[in-house]
Amino acid sequence: VKSQTTFMSNDILDLTVDFIYETPQRLRIRIYDTMKKRFEVPLDVPVVGKKADMTDYEVKAVQKPFAILVTRKSTGVTL
C-alpha cells in the first residue's frame, strides 16, 4: 500500500500481486487494483489444479521500491 500519491492523477494505492506456481517451469504473476474489478481478456489458458511442488525458479518480491525478481535455479539467470 502506497502512503501517498504521486504526480499521476489515477494512482492505484493498493495493489494485489498473485504468484501462481503452475508447473516446475511456469509461474504466473497477476498484478491488479485491489479495490476495482479487473477485466481479463477471455483467452484460453491452462487451468492448474494444485501448486507445483518443486520449481526451477525462485521468486523474490520487494515492497519498497516495488520489484519482482524471478531467477531460474538451474542456470542462475534472472528472467
Side-chain angles (χ1 to χ4, degrees):
V1 176
K2 286 173 55 178
S3 59
Q4 64 183 359
T5 58
T6 63
F7 64 91
M8 303 299 288
S9 60
N10 294 320
D11 273 356
I12 298 172
L13 298 179
D14 190 10
L15 287 176
T16 298
V17 180
D18 292 337
F19 296 99
I20 305 162
Y21 300 86
E22 295 187 335
T23 71
Q25 290 80 31
R26 186 175 67 225
L27 168 69
R28 186 177 193 188
I29 300 173
R30 296 187 325 177
I31 303 171
Y32 55 94
D33 185 339
T34 303
M35 305 308 287
K36 293 183 182 175
K37 184 174 173 108
R38 79 185 223 132
F39 172 77
E40 291 193 35
V41 177
L43 297 174
D44 289 331
V45 294
V47 177
V48 177
K50 69 174 202 157
K51 177 181 173 181
D53 294 330
M54 300 288 290
T55 63
D56 187 32
Y57 46 84
E58 180 179 337
V59 179
K60 291 182 183 177
V62 179
Q63 187 171 2
K64 197 170 187 179
F66 178 71
I68 299 170
L69 299 172
V70 181
T71 305
R72 189 174 308 279
K73 292 178 186 175
S74 60
T75 62
V77 173
T78 300
L79 305 175

